[in-house]
Amino acid sequence: MRICFILNPTSGTNRTQDVPALLTRYATAAGADFEIQLTQYAGHAEQLARQAAHQGFRVVVAVGGDGTVNEVARGLLGTSAALGIVPRGSGNGLARHLHIPLDLPGAVKRVCQPTFQRIDVGHINERPFFCTAGLGFDAHVSKMFARAGTRGLSTYVKVALREYRRYQAVPILVELNDQQIETNCYVLAFANAAQYGNNAYIAPRADIQDGLLDLCLIDGLSFPRAVRVGLGLALGTLPTSGGAVYHTSCHIRVHAARPLGFHVDGDYVTDGTDFEVKLDPLALEVAV
């Protein structure tokens, strides 16, 4: 079994480690037939992954954060290669959902001796996502976080608290399951997996293999509700907290009264007023 590690050298907060040397050590110890490729620019991981799949690698491993995982997984759609993950980011949402070890030795050992399963893949305006996508405040925070200059959970929390004071909900129309819902959007999350990352459970009942997305709608965020939502995210109790409303569907349309930002797997994409969200069941094989 041939394995290709695709490493984003800018991922994570600890950049003093010689990650290629560590990958080589642990993969060699596991008896793997492997190659290591380093990304050089945004979008490069997708190209490298597609090339590795066409070269016959059985497992193509994203070594990085959720953005790197998204890029590598995009490159593997429609191929016979499986996605592996060695988590090196600040959130690691998909890795956590799939119970992949967060330490480098454990993750490399797992990916060199994997079992295989298939997972659903979401698309928002034709952009694939594998963990979560969303409109509103979480996308806005992702945009601001990317500009913050530093990474990590503490930076994310600081940005979220700062922007909370400024952000206003936007009226939206949601179409799903043959019904229309007029509401406000502070957050509208589309969850394929249960969490954003860092064990922040936006949809703790989400099943990555059930052919459905779990929608989490928060129409406003007063301070008391913000406390409930924060505790619900941390404890995995958001569905019973009274802070959010949930739906499940495999096809959703959203129209916003004014432009809303959206993100895929934690990375801000752009603003828009019309969104179509679909699910492609069991469209990606993963090595876990």
Side-chain angles (χ1 to χ4, degrees), residues 224-261:
R225 180 181 282 190
V227 172
R228 294 201 305 274
V229 168
L231 288 173
L233 288 170
L235 301 175
T237 58
L238 188 54
T240 59
S241 70
V245 174
Y246 284 82
H247 302 271
T248 58
S249 184
C250 61
H251 189 191
I252 308 101
R253 294 181 186 272
V254 181
H255 176 73
R258 60 178 185 269
L260 268 176

Side-chain angles (χ1 to χ4, degrees), residues 2-44:
R2 298 172 66 210
I3 301 172
C4 180
F5 293 94
I6 296 178
L7 167 64
N8 180 354
T10 67
S11 286
T13 56
N14 183 1
R15 301 178 187 174
T16 61
Q17 290 182 314
D18 187 345
V19 179
L22 292 172
L23 289 174
T24 298
R25 179 197 306 175
Y26 297 126
T28 300
D33 177 7
F34 68 95
E35 181 177 304
I36 300 172
Q37 298 277 353
L38 271 63
T39 64
Q40 299 176 13
Y41 48 83
H44 195 201

